[in-house]
Amino acid sequence: VVLFAFQVADAQITVTNADFASSGDTIRFSNASPLSLVDVSLTGTNYTWDFSTLQSTSQDVDTFISVTSTPFVYVLVFGFNSNLAARGLDLSGFPAVPVSDIYSFYNKSSNNYKQTGYGASISGVTTPISFNNDDIIYDFPVNFGNVDSSDSDYSLVIPNIASAIGSQHRVNIVDGWGSVTTPYGTFNALRIVSTLTGEDSLYLDSLSTGFSAPRQLTREYKWLANGQDIPVLEIITTETFGIEAVTSIRYRDSIRTITTGVAQPLVMEDKPVLSPNPSRNNDVMATIQLQSASEVTISVSGADGRLIDRKMLQLGAGKQSILVKPAAFNLSEGLYFVTF
């Protein structure tokens, strides 16, 4: 292994649609504790941001796919106004309705990068939620000093279950440029701050009641660099009674070994056992022993560490057997890592 180092010269950059992920891209990122000491007020021209002391507490992968790779009902709804989808992002506005299997849909063009809607399984029903007005996340090209805004909204009716209306106002300000350092490296970057406000209304048919509530004021601080597909650093804050608090920190990263000084409850008594292993075109039985009922996530990654897919199961206490079907993960012949 050859180890080398290089230094990035400070320069004011321009960010375009070519600097963001496309269909087929998988990008790993690390999460850091929101209790990390960061000061989001620090910015300026030719500024040096140093976040090198951030420590990864967990890792995940953003997986971007084509709209045609999503369930057919989403292709019908989003196929004409979207060219990108991502899995597993959070869906707000439905606190009392079971929501799972979430997709977010986007359109990336030379003019802007915008979210066009969501897709989710709501009470078991595959449901597209198309925005009436799209959420314009970035206007291109992104340059220092840019200021822009957009209003987005959605409305949804699920017969005999619920109806919902949501609106959001976004204001983007590119308030700094310079050099940003994270545990992943040093990059020439632009900083963009997005201030988000909005309101959600929900009516539950089963309870014959509804409510409206303003969304908590949220700010997204993002450092954008050329050719990195996602922000190299993103810090999310919320504001209550004028007090701004960090709620999440994530940064682009490579595979790391995560260590923590916080004791974790022992839920899985022994290492899972896969049989047969190796498997020759057969399904594999996974046996695990749980001390208590738990939601178990099964992740399958390739030998290169790239996440292929993940599935979540709710399992009871005791010895549990799970049938892992290679066909369900679209696996071809090769070596894979299965993580529980």
Side-chain angles (χ1 to χ4, degrees), residues 153-217:
D153 61 275
Y154 70 86
S155 57
L156 173 67
V157 177
I158 307 174
N160 303 318
I161 297 179
S163 57
I165 298 174
S167 61
Q168 176 182 273
H169 180 63
R170 172 188 293 272
V171 177
N172 295 327
I173 301 175
V174 186
D175 70 348
W177 67 270
S179 171
V180 61
T181 298
T182 71
Y184 184 58
T186 299
F187 305 88
N188 290 332
L190 294 172
R191 190 178 91 151
I192 182 170
V193 182
S194 302
T195 302
L196 309 177
T197 55
E199 183 177 83
D200 291 294
S201 300
L202 179 67
Y203 182 85
L204 299 174
D205 294 356
S206 59
L207 301 178
S208 298
T209 188
F211 62 88
S212 297
R215 296 182 185 178
Q216 194 168 19
L217 190 152

Side-chain angles (χ1 to χ4, degrees), residues 83-147:
N83 53 22
L84 197 61
R87 296 218 42 185
L89 301 184
D90 184 31
L91 180 62
S92 61
F94 297 91
V97 180
V99 179
S100 61
D101 200 21
I102 300 167
Y103 292 85
S104 293
F105 292 90
Y106 303 94
N107 191 74
K108 185 179 75 165
S109 69
S110 59
N111 294 323
N112 53 47
Y113 186 100
K114 59 186 181 181
Q115 184 169 6
T116 57
Y118 292 106
S121 176
I122 302 178
S123 294
V125 179
T126 300
T127 307
I129 308 168
S130 180
F131 289 176
N132 302 315
N133 295 288
D134 299 330
D135 177 19
I136 301 176
I137 303 172
Y138 306 109
D139 259 329
F140 296 131
V142 182
N143 286 302
F144 173 69
N146 283 10
V147 178

Side-chain angles (χ1 to χ4, degrees), residues 58-106:
S58 64
Q59 289 196 315
D60 210 333
V61 174
D62 277 340
T63 301
F64 295 89
I65 59 177
S66 66
V67 177
T68 55
S69 298
T70 66
F72 183 66
V73 65
Y74 298 149
V75 179
L76 294 178
V77 173
F78 295 105
F80 294 101
N81 68 347
S82 309
N83 53 22
L84 197 61
R87 296 218 42 185
L89 301 184
D90 184 31
L91 180 62
S92 61
F94 297 91
V97 180
V99 179
S100 61
D101 200 21
I102 300 167
Y103 292 85
S104 293
F105 292 90
Y106 303 94

